[in-house]
Amino acid sequence: MLKMADISKNFDAVKALSHASLSVKSGEIMALLGSNGSGKSTMVKILSGLVNPSGGTIEIEGKPVQIRSGADARRLGVAMAYQDLSLIPAMSVVDNITLGMEPAGRFGRIDKKAAREKAEKYLRLLRVDIDPAALVQDLMPSTQSMVEIAKAMATEPKLLILDEATASLHSDEVDVLFEVLKDLKQQGMSVIIVTHRMSEIFRICDRCTILKGGETVAGGEIKDMNLDDIVFHMTGKRPDHSVTEETGQSHSYKEEDLLLDVKGICIPGKLDRVDFQTYRGEIVGIGGLDGQGQAEFIRAVLADVKYTEGQIRFKGREVHYRSTADAVADDMGFISGDRARESIFPIRSVAENLFAAKATKGGLFAPLSSKTIQEFAAKAMEDYGIVAGSISHPASSLSGGNQQKLVVGRWIALSPDLLLLDDPTKGVDIHSRHEIHEILRRCIKDGMSIIYVSSDNEELLEISDRIYVFYEGKISAQLAGCDRTEEKLVAAMMGLTGSAEKGAVE
């Protein structure tokens, strides 16, 4: 159905793709894999018309084609759902789904009834229970992602590309999407999935193509490969399974090691009398379906969100921070998974981004030399394995994984007593994720405590000593030791606590 051969793309002196190739058969679901910076996003952007290649050929259904714009892609039957969303927040769901292909009524006007029926058809297909007239900006992030997928499906493409489209989805939404994809596959549609969730590949994909350094380095039938093979082709290294052996064990904590003690925190409509404890030298995970209060909780601890009732004790004393700056000054740090909005200063240099947190520790009018910034940044890059052309290059020039390591390095260099992370590896490749996990494990050995929110159940079980599960603004379960199983985690996420009830620290 699709054949891409010798595809190259240069961005000034940076070679994003070098003679890469890719092929997809009709009625096939293929995974396009690679670490951040491998060229896979550039590859699919070429297919969708967002990026024009420097060289190479593209064939669709045996005919040479040129895709110079989104209109060309749509005409050729190619549609793409983006991780960063192509939706217009201030427009309704129905207007977003039918944008550019609005059904025409009398006198050239839009047939609003037909448009609503079209939107409802694809929302119903994906089991998204929302009012099509609702504004996109009022929806939860995972629902927005489902609308993005519905928008792509509404073009009735021959080839559907999902570029990290599942990154913001939770397990029940992914299950629905995969059921739909299997049906579309039977109808002859081809699908390319770009994802860092390795478990999804083995569930849904027939084949994979792996990119590394802008080149196609491997590919084949998924049934003939395992995770170690895929990681090896992506990184050139075999996974070291020993690094996770110490996680998830039962721990005994002393009262004097209690670092954070939250009692009865309430935020109307978000949190309902939440109790939460963190001890020195542990990683506490927070799980739950999207929108259950996890984000509000850690932002309340950080003083970014106001709470109406309850008490927060940090380092043995009750705290009432007036702002996040007060929390940071009291040795808290925060890392967001939303790099573009909350973490990275894209046009500032790598060095300036790394030094940003440390700059908050200085006096208001304290002198700051470029030598100080550069020396600090150079050491941080070496310590945390950040790959960049130069510390003077803008942060936007880094791959997603290296951008996130930059943010991690920025805060860890300050050695905070408590580090809060809100889904920090969302959209980060598996190799970079393992590197970030290893950095965090080194930190807890030095006495730091970590609270780690993740939408990835596998990641939570891998990295956490204990897991608090949020459901409808409450703690539905606390899992530790032998209770840390996927079955109990999923049950608690759905509010079915069963045997996985709130427990004491082991």
Side-chain angles (χ1 to χ4, degrees), residues 262-268 271-274 300 306-312:
V262 177
K263 298 290 187 184
I265 284 290
C266 293
I267 299 176
L271 296 176
D272 183 10
R273 296 180 178 82
V274 170
K306 302 295 183 184
Y307 55 93
T308 56
E309 295 180 43
Q311 179 189 78
I312 297 177

Side-chain angles (χ1 to χ4, degrees), residues 202-451:
F202 295 98
R203 282 182 59 190
I204 191 70
C205 297
D206 302 305
R207 285 194 309 120
C208 71
T209 297
I210 303 174
L211 299 180
K212 183 174 182 289
E215 300 178 0
T216 302
V217 295
E221 301 284 334
I222 291 293
K223 61 181 176 60
D224 296 330
M225 307 181 79
N226 58 39
L227 182 56
D228 286 359
D229 294 330
I230 290 172
V231 172
F232 173 73
H233 290 303
M234 286 172 57
T235 66
K237 300 177 182 178
R238 291 284 174 183
D240 182 3
H241 297 291
S242 64
V243 297
T244 63
E245 288 178 357
E246 295 181 4
T247 62
Q249 304 301 315
S250 297
H251 294 274
S252 297
Y253 295 104
K254 299 177 181 178
E255 191 63 30
E256 57 266 31
D257 291 331
L258 182 61
L259 180 69
L260 177 73
D261 188 13
V262 177
K263 298 290 187 184
I265 284 290
C266 293
I267 299 176
K270 298 295 183 180
L271 296 176
D272 183 10
R273 296 180 178 82
V274 170
D275 294 342
F276 189 103
Q277 289 78 40
T278 303
Y279 291 79
R280 294 186 184 276
E282 70 166 345
I283 299 180
V284 181
I286 296 180
L289 298 176
D290 192 34
Q292 304 300 305
Q294 308 95 307
E296 288 79 8
F297 173 76
I298 65 169
R299 282 166 170 76
V301 172
L302 192 68
D304 188 40
V305 172
K306 302 295 183 184
Y307 55 93
T308 56
E309 295 180 43
Q311 179 189 78
I312 297 177
R313 296 183 64 84
F314 183 54
K315 295 191 287 191
R317 68 186 191 283
E318 187 173 353
V319 295
H320 299 278
Y321 302 129
R322 292 170 297 175
S323 67
T324 55
D326 288 345
V328 171
D330 201 21
D331 294 318
M332 284 191 191
F334 173 72
I335 296 173
S336 171
D338 192 343
R339 293 186 297 274
R341 292 177 54 193
E342 297 187 313
S343 297
I344 291 290
F345 306 108
I347 64 173
R348 308 304 299 184
S349 70
V350 171
E352 290 170 318
N353 270 271
L354 281 165
F355 196 80
K358 188 172 179 61
T360 65
K361 294 286 189 177
L364 185 59
F365 300 105
L368 191 61
S369 69
S370 59
K371 181 180 179 183
T372 299
I373 296 173
Q374 291 172 0
E375 288 178 349
F376 178 89
K379 185 177 187 305
M381 287 181 67
E382 181 179 353
D383 288 346
Y384 307 119
I386 302 168
V387 179
S390 166
I391 60 174
S392 63
H393 285 177
S396 58
S397 67
L398 273 61
S399 68
N402 280 295
Q403 286 184 13
Q404 199 65 341
K405 284 193 287 183
L406 182 154
V407 179
V408 171
R410 170 198 296 168
W411 285 105
I412 289 178
L414 295 184
S415 300
D417 291 322
L418 178 64
L419 184 61
L420 310 167
L421 301 99
D422 187 8
D423 225 354
T425 62
K426 182 172 64 179
V428 172
D429 66 87
I430 188 171
H431 181 60
S432 295
R433 187 174 85 170
H434 285 163
E435 288 184 312
I436 291 171
H437 287 183
E438 184 56 29
I439 291 169
L440 296 177
R441 290 189 184 100
R442 293 203 304 266
C443 291
I444 63 169
K445 288 180 180 179
D446 294 333
M448 186 185 296
S449 299
I450 292 169
I451 298 176

Side-chain angles (χ1 to χ4, degrees), residues 104-138:
R106 296 179 64 187
F107 310 114
R109 295 180 178 177
I110 296 174
D111 186 337
K112 292 187 177 181
K113 180 181 178 182
R116 184 182 178 95
E117 289 174 351
K118 187 179 184 72
E120 287 177 337
K121 172 184 175 181
Y122 289 96
L123 293 173
R124 191 163 51 248
L125 180 67
L126 292 168
R127 300 179 203 169
V128 181
D129 186 15
I130 56 173
D131 182 357
L135 299 182
V136 164
Q137 64 192 16
D138 295 333

